[in-house]
Amino acid sequence: MNIKPIYYYIIALVGFFGLFALLMLWNTILAPSTRFPVALVLLVTVTPLLLPMRGLLDRKPRSCAWAAYVSLIYFLHGTAEAYVNADERFYASLEIMLSLMLFLGSAFYVRFAGKQN
């Protein structure tokens, strides 16, 4: 079975933009923080995701690899949030799923795109 690397890239993009949208909605509309300002929470949660964005959109393998590494932070946050906070377990489960999509899509894209060039 030979799957084209573009499909892995599409999975990574869906995970990336889904995670971005989820974090923006979760921290502003769905369940805003009562302890910290919303701007600070967004700065801390969304900024790491934006660092490899340009290279990810340009399909650069190094940036795709970094996006995979960064997605693990969100996977850890999602699993901890799902365990601790029962009220936001659904959002945490979405974060886990989207971070895994970003991780696996990026990792497989980097792995198989190198073979085609």
Side-chain angles (χ1 to χ4, degrees):
M1 188 163 109
N2 192 8
I3 299 175
K4 295 181 181 180
I6 190 70
Y7 295 125
Y8 295 122
Y9 178 71
I10 291 170
I11 291 170
L13 283 182
V14 169
F16 178 83
F17 286 113
L19 192 58
F20 182 77
L22 174 69
L23 290 172
M24 295 294 284
L25 287 173
W26 187 0
N27 293 315
T28 56
I29 297 171
L30 300 174
S33 175
T34 57
R35 288 183 249 160
F36 301 106
V38 174
L40 178 65
V41 174
L42 286 176
L43 186 68
V44 170
T45 58
V46 176
T47 302
L49 196 59
L50 295 178
L51 294 175
M53 182 177 175
R54 182 172 180 181
L56 182 69
L57 294 176
D58 289 340
R59 297 185 195 171
K60 294 182 180 177
R62 179 174 277 185
S63 295
C64 291
W66 274 105
Y69 300 143
V70 168
S71 72
L72 295 177
I73 297 169
Y74 297 102
F75 176 77
L76 290 174
H77 176 261
T79 54
E81 195 70 36
Y83 180 75
V84 171
N85 195 351
D87 295 335
E88 298 178 10
R89 193 163 286 158
F90 175 71
Y91 307 132
S93 300
L94 281 175
E95 184 178 17
I96 293 168
M97 182 191 68
L98 291 169
S99 65
L100 283 176
M101 285 176 66
L102 177 57
F103 176 77
L104 293 173
S106 296
F108 284 134
Y109 174 73
V110 169
R111 170 75 172 97
F112 293 116
K115 287 186 175 184
Q116 299 234 338
N117 294 333

